Amino acid sequence: MATSVDVRRDLASLADPRRAEASGRFLQMVPGGYGEGDMALGVSVPDQRKVAARYWRDLSLAETTRLLTDGAHEERLTSLLILVRKFTKGDEPERAHIFDTVLANTSRINNWDLVDSSAPYIVGPWLMDKDRSVLDRLAESSLVWDRRIAVMATFAFVKAGDFEWTFRLGDRLLHDPHDLVRKAVGWMLREVGNRDRAAEEEFLARRYRVMPRVMLRYAIEKFEPQRRRDYLSGAL
């Protein structure tokens, strides 16, 4: 049976100090950055996916969780990639355990790439046919990662043509102070528009003048140039 030590060994063999330095800057693992205090190994995401594919069957949930709770950045991302695979293939009890594991460790899912690699594929799918009030709780959290998890989880609903929670959280987080949440809300509104442009524009109509600029820019990114200009100028 594989262990977290095996995964760490394989990731360490792929580490590149120059990539680690670049990743540290990109993910703001610098003093004052949102990723301050984290450590990058310098392993590319495609390589991490290969490691996850190699180990997801043989690594227990306990060992996978160990990677998530005390690993470097790429070790945590790899653990989440493994959890996504286990969740997709698992039965109901295993899926429930993985969902609970993710929610119990949101303080370790502490960068946008970690959130975006897990929330739409574990949190959202688990809640598809269940009480979604946990998303309200996450949206009220002081932890930016909880709030981004709440928004990004709605991607699963949007793909199924269900926009209610994207709009609900969009209203709740319309004036969120953090750019990473503002961008997530705008992104999910854009995804709604990709499927139902009228529904997105109905939401924007009463809000676009007051929503943060970055949120609006993300939301209208796929609109025609003149339509984007009209929104950005407040001419509608």
Side-chain angles (χ1 to χ4, degrees):
M1 181 67 77
T3 70
S4 58
V5 173
D6 298 318
V7 178
R8 286 193 170 100
R9 180 199 62 225
D10 284 12
L11 290 172
S13 72
L14 298 165
D16 179 345
R18 287 176 297 180
R19 183 184 293 275
E21 184 177 354
S23 295
R25 291 193 301 270
F26 181 60
L27 296 170
Q28 293 200 21
M29 301 176 191
V30 295
Y34 51 71
E36 181 177 3
D38 204 354
M39 180 184 74
L41 299 175
V43 182
S44 70
V45 173
D47 280 343
Q48 291 176 70
R49 292 190 182 279
K50 290 176 184 176
V51 172
R54 186 180 308 139
Y55 284 105
W56 76 270
R57 289 183 181 86
D58 295 331
L59 199 69
S60 69
L61 279 174
E63 288 294 303
T64 308
T65 303
R66 186 165 290 116
L67 277 176
L68 178 60
T69 55
D70 64 5
H73 187 89
E74 289 91 340
E75 292 168 351
R76 301 201 307 285
L77 179 52
T78 301
S79 76
L80 291 167
L81 296 173
I82 291 171
L83 288 174
V84 168
R85 282 178 172 260
K86 287 181 175 293
F87 182 89
T88 301
K89 301 294 186 180
D91 57 19
E92 193 76 355
E94 185 173 24
R95 286 159 62 91
H97 187 175
I98 292 168
F99 172 81
D100 290 341
T101 296
V102 168
L103 288 195
N105 290 284
T106 58
S107 64
R108 301 297 289 156
I109 306 174
N110 57 349
N111 215 307
W112 59 263
D113 60 328
L114 303 178
V115 172
D116 299 357
S117 296
S118 55
Y121 309 108
I122 294 174
V123 180
W126 177 254
L127 296 174
M128 282 292 295
D129 57 353
K130 298 177 179 65
D131 178 12
R132 300 175 183 177
S133 59
V134 65
L135 298 181
D136 282 327
R137 177 176 62 78
L138 289 168
E140 292 171 357
S141 172
S142 62
L143 188 65
V144 61
W145 312 117
D146 283 349
R147 304 197 303 277
R148 186 163 174 121
I149 286 169
V151 177
M152 293 305 300
T154 72
F155 202 176
F157 314 152
V158 171
K159 289 176 181 177
D162 178 356
F163 311 141
E164 177 187 357
W165 276 83
T166 298
F167 293 153
R168 176 181 177 132
L169 296 180
D171 269 333
R172 182 183 292 274
L173 298 168
L174 194 67
H175 300 292
D176 194 274
H178 206 292
D179 258 12
L180 290 178
V181 177
R182 295 176 176 184
K183 290 175 180 178
V185 171
W187 178 7
M188 290 303 101
L189 291 174
R190 184 178 73 224
E191 292 297 335
V192 170
N194 287 342
R195 293 157 178 83
D196 189 334
R197 174 74 169 268
E200 182 191 3
E201 293 216 53
E202 183 179 356
F203 180 86
L204 291 175
R206 291 177 287 115
R207 300 164 178 87
Y208 81 95
R209 287 188 176 90
V210 297
M211 64 171 45
R213 201 71 162 177
V214 69
M215 186 185 294
L216 178 60
R217 286 187 179 278
Y218 267 64
I220 64 174
E221 184 178 11
K222 297 296 181 65
F223 288 10
E224 302 80 9
Q226 184 58 53
R227 192 66 170 169
R228 289 201 306 272
R229 287 193 290 270
D230 289 342
Y231 271 104
L232 293 170
S233 67
L236 295 176

